[in-house]
Amino acid sequence: MKTAKKIAVVGAGSWGTGLANVFADAGHEVTLWGRDSETVQTLNSQHTNPKYLKGISLNPKLKASSDLERTVEEASWIVCAIPTQQIRSVFQPLAPLIQNKLVINTSKGIEVGSNRRVSEIFSEISPKSIYSILSGPSFALEVAKRLPTAVTLASADLEDAVKIQQALATPYFRSYTSRDVTGVEFAGALKNVVAIASGMVSGLQLGYNAQAALINRGIAEIMRIAKKFHADAFTFLGLAGTGDLILTCTGPLSRNRKVGVLLGEGKPLETIQKELGGVAEGVYTAKSAYELSQRAGIELPITEQVYKILYEANTPSKALESLMSRELKEEW
């Protein structure tokens, strides 16, 4: 029988709410922190989050709070479910409160400016916190609907990953453990960039052949940068790798793919971001990953073209021409 934990989930968006509900369904005492007082009140009184998960009934034992410091202080496990670019500003003031606590990160991105992965950010904020990452093909809406989902849980200490794995187990949510934190982080971050490119293929109506090729070469690209940083190649064959990449590149619920579709249709990025109503991590990660690849001397042609479209006013059609006219070479 699993021991109930006191868990703080930081971030009451669709994914934070969905994952908090999994922990509540698994029998834990969960408090979900959110900035919006109206959302918090609705979560507590009606057990729903109509802003992000309209029509979904949540576990009535799931609590919500707008008091971040108290929520984190009272918990033994902390779940990070906010966008990567906000992590440092939100968690830096909480550094004393997360010392020696288990931090479960679910954010997928690379910090703009520092080009740090999330594990590196937390290492700088709170060196004594115990870091792990949950990643994989997991649209928040489907998790909240309690549809079958499987993910990867990575920690440098496998015992910590196993503890979280057991704590999260429900009839609809299953996780697999890993020690490859670096690989899982790169896979989760860079698949969002590839998903933007995949969306552009759809927006330009280039067909399924192009879509399949783009996804496959995206895997090769992610493996290339991860190898440079000593990740395990097998990670990219798993749920955090190809599993999440395929979902994000093809699933209609993917915000990153939607950004790409609209770019392919000719809409400007500023307009797209206003319409989106949520953060597409790939927009920021494209910049960080491109800068990281330039610094490390790694060739990432898809990432480079997405970066140039987002930040240098290149067009999707010119990017396609550049990719297709690259030097011919051996596949691997």
Side-chain angles (χ1 to χ4, degrees), residues 100-113:
N100 303 312
K101 290 185 179 181
L102 190 62
V103 173
I104 306 166
N105 171 50
T106 68
S107 303
K108 302 172 181 178
I110 300 173
E111 189 178 42
V112 171

Side-chain angles (χ1 to χ4, degrees), residues 191-204 206-207 210-212 214-215 245-246 248-251 256-258 260-261 302 306:
K191 59 91 184 177
N192 287 329
V193 181
V194 179
I196 292 175
S198 178
M200 282 189 267
V201 169
S202 296
L204 290 166
L206 298 177
Q211 194 97 62
L214 186 283
I215 293 171
L245 182 68
I246 291 168
T248 312
C249 286
T250 62
N256 291 284
R257 179 183 179 275
K258 186 175 181 181
V261 170
I302 296 171
V306 172

Side-chain angles (χ1 to χ4, degrees), residues 21 25 46-49 53-60 144 146:
N21 197 56
D25 283 352
Q46 301 177 28
H47 312 299
T48 63
N49 188 340
L53 295 170
K54 189 175 182 179
I56 304 295
S57 296
L58 303 170
N59 191 307
R146 298 174 174 86

